[in-house]
Amino acid sequence: QVRLVESGGGLVQAGGSLRLSCPASGLPFNMYAMGWFRQAPGKEREFVAAISWSGGNPHYTDSVKGRFTISRDNAKNSVNLQMNSLKPEDTAVYYCAAQSLITRTWDYWGQGTQVTVST
């Protein structure tokens, strides 16, 4: 059984930082690219960041470039998202996901962690 479990969300003031973590189990972790998505109230889920199986080629949606950093630790089967200079518009439920290197589909998802940025 594949499990992705996000943690690290919470309430923070604008300009603050949070670090999200997502340990994975039940899948060959180094055969999956990993990513973070978010969904704000009343909006569709959107892509935030992704990283290749090797830890290279991190890429981000434009609104978080220069503020967020995605990383992974294949020895610990974990992906992280360091979020700095947070803005109220970053408020959302954040999900980690695993992308098959073969099908390029996002096959597995966590349950999400709430991030709330106050003014």
Side-chain angles (χ1 to χ4, degrees):
Q1 180 181 3
V2 175
R3 292 192 69 199
L4 305 178
V5 183
E6 302 93 338
S7 64
L11 174 64
V12 64
Q13 287 188 331
S17 298
L18 285 174
R19 181 177 177 84
L20 306 183
S21 295
C22 179
S25 60
L27 77 169
F29 189 71
N30 60 0
M31 292 187 67
Y32 284 80
M34 298 298 295
W36 289 93
F37 292 74
R38 66 187 180 186
Q39 187 168 18
K43 296 187 177 181
E44 294 187 352
R45 187 175 300 187
E46 66 169 350
F47 169 81
V48 175
I51 191 166
S52 71
W53 67 273
S54 65
N57 193 33
H59 53 283
Y60 305 88
T61 190
D62 286 346
S63 63
V64 308
K65 284 180 181 177
R67 300 187 298 121
F68 290 12
T69 302
I70 188 171
S71 62
R72 67 187 291 161
D73 184 340
N74 285 351
K76 296 181 178 180
N77 286 6
S78 181
V79 61
N80 306 299
L81 186 68
Q82 178 66 43
M83 305 186 295
N84 299 328
S85 301
L86 283 160
K87 304 175 180 181
E89 51 264 42
D90 294 318
T91 295
V93 177
Y94 283 71
Y95 300 88
C96 71
Q99 183 188 49
S100 166
L101 297 183
I102 299 174
T103 63
R104 300 295 184 182
T105 53
W106 294 98
D107 290 346
Y108 302 107
W109 295 81
Q111 83 290 346
T113 186
Q114 176 70 47
V115 171
T116 303
V117 185
S118 64
T119 56

